[in-house]
Amino acid sequence: MRYFVHGLLGFWVVCCASPCNADLFATLARDGMLLRIDTNTGDVLRHYSSPPDPDFTSSPAGVAYDGDLVYVGRSTPDGLARVWPFDPVEKDWLPSLELDPITVHGGTIARLDGMGVYTDGDGLRHLLAVSRSPQEIPTSTFFDYDLSLAPGMLHWSAAPVELPIDFVALGMDVDPATGEIWVSGGLTPSVLGNPALIRVDPFGAEIDRLLLPELAGATLRGLAFDDGRMFVGIRNAVASANQIVEVDRNSGEILNTFTLPSEFEGILTGLTGGAVVPEPATWAIAFTAIAGLWVRASSVRSRTVTARRSS
């Protein structure tokens, strides 16, 4: 029994002290590639092909992650929008989900620009989305789809809501640790000159805004979270590069910047992440250690019983 207790203690120590794997997922415009990125180094760990649907070839438009599946969104000029779930463990694309048309202001066609998965107080999951304003309309729009009705068709859980008139939405995500909903973009009249983030409630009403003057000239295309850390996916026009920037959500200070390798071509169109999962190897090592200690303890008990019987 002593060996088994020691094994459990060792298992706890190994799991608590071991590093955790918290990855980001980014989408690229040219070929719809999905990248898996390390939050500590910015290294591209894996890359996956685009959703296998030849009849829906528009560029990716937003990506979200619920800790289990990655959701890659696409929309077409005629207002159709679909979301493809992707299992990063099995590396499989699942059947697509069709969304209610992305239309605003009584039928004007818009496009899907950013997404995030939100769980409400009743445990129901929502796919939140934002759409930038068409040229003739000054406002961006916030959408709420009922994700609990999947598979098949995702319908609006609530009527679309207009975001602040001076803000152009280009991406969004939900912090899984706090439930905070953040939208990335910029302020009019110069979106590139006034990059900003706004925090909204589940109904799309603004709570706070964060100006990012250090990123002036960049296009903010997505957000991601990792254990309290906030990341923004940007297209740096000056450097002609896709970058991931860690931002202090309280001050707007730039804490870190990763530049994605040039071999991954195409403009970054979305960013998500935030699930913290212990490395599988750690669990395997700990389990093997416990199993070994259990066998050892059993062997000791067996020899002890045999010795007593012999005496």
Side-chain angles (χ1 to χ4, degrees):
M1 183 65 182
R2 180 182 61 186
Y3 294 104
F4 183 67
V5 171
H6 289 172
L8 287 178
L9 290 174
F11 176 76
W12 180 82
V13 170
V14 169
C15 289
C16 290
S18 63
C20 289
N21 179 25
D23 298 335
L24 305 178
F25 294 91
T27 51
L28 299 179
R30 175 165 295 185
D31 55 9
M33 185 177 292
L34 178 66
L35 307 181
R36 186 168 183 171
I37 302 166
D38 187 285
T39 58
N40 294 314
T41 65
D43 293 339
V44 177
L45 304 176
R46 290 181 179 83
H47 56 88
Y48 312 98
S49 60
S50 60
D53 192 333
D55 297 326
F56 215 85
T57 56
S58 68
S59 297
V63 59
Y65 185 44
D66 65 2
D68 183 26
L69 297 175
V70 181
Y71 299 87
V72 176
R74 289 188 173 184
S75 56
T76 61
D78 57 4
L80 294 178
R82 289 184 187 175
V83 171
W84 277 263
F86 178 76
D87 186 333
V89 176
E90 300 296 333
K91 303 178 181 62
D92 286 335
W93 291 99
L94 305 180
S96 64
L97 309 171
E98 186 173 352
L99 278 62
D100 278 340
I102 304 294
T103 57
V104 296
H105 295 272
T108 302
I109 301 299
R111 58 165 288 170
L112 187 65
D113 283 296
M115 302 188 302
V117 177
Y118 175 78
T119 303
D120 64 22
D122 296 324
L124 299 178
R125 294 189 308 151
H126 301 254
L127 182 70
L128 306 180
V130 291
S131 171
R132 77 179 77 180
S133 56
Q135 292 295 327
E136 68 276 14
I137 298 174
T139 56
S140 297
T141 307
F142 178 90
F143 297 89
D144 179 354
Y145 293 95
D146 189 347
L147 195 55
S148 64
L149 298 179
M153 183 82 181
L154 297 186
H155 299 287
W156 293 338
S157 179
V161 175
E162 293 182 2
L163 292 172
I165 193 169
D166 64 340
F167 183 80
V168 177
L170 300 175
M172 73 167 297
D173 205 3
V174 179
D175 186 341
T178 64
E180 291 183 356
I181 305 166
W182 287 83
V183 184
S184 61
L187 304 178
T188 58
S190 174
V191 176
L192 292 180
N194 299 285
L197 308 175
I198 63 171
R199 183 161 67 95
V200 300
D201 67 16
F203 307 101
E206 180 179 355
I207 298 175
D208 195 8
R209 64 175 56 190
L210 182 65
L211 303 182
L212 302 174
E214 291 185 64
L215 298 181
T219 304
L220 279 57
R221 291 308 313 268
L223 283 165
F225 298 90
D226 167 25
D227 195 26
R229 302 160 69 193
M230 172 189 279
F231 297 87
V232 181
I234 70 172
R235 176 65 180 181
N236 187 325
V238 175
S240 297
N242 296 313
Q243 296 179 324
I244 296 176
V245 178
E246 183 178 356
V247 177
D248 185 314
R249 74 178 76 186
N250 296 312
S251 66
E253 178 186 358
I254 305 303
L255 304 177
N256 209 347
T257 300
F258 304 124
T259 299
L260 299 185
S262 58
E263 64 187 271
F264 299 105
E265 299 180 350
I267 295 175
L268 187 145
T269 59
L271 185 70
T272 189
V276 179
V277 181
E279 293 284 359
T282 298
W283 294 92
I285 293 171
F287 178 79
T288 301
I290 288 181
L293 289 169
W294 177 261
V295 171
R296 181 180 178 185
S298 298
S299 177
V300 170
R301 286 198 304 271
S302 178
R303 289 198 301 269
T304 302
V305 171
T306 301
R308 288 176 178 174
R309 288 178 178 175
S310 298
S311 59

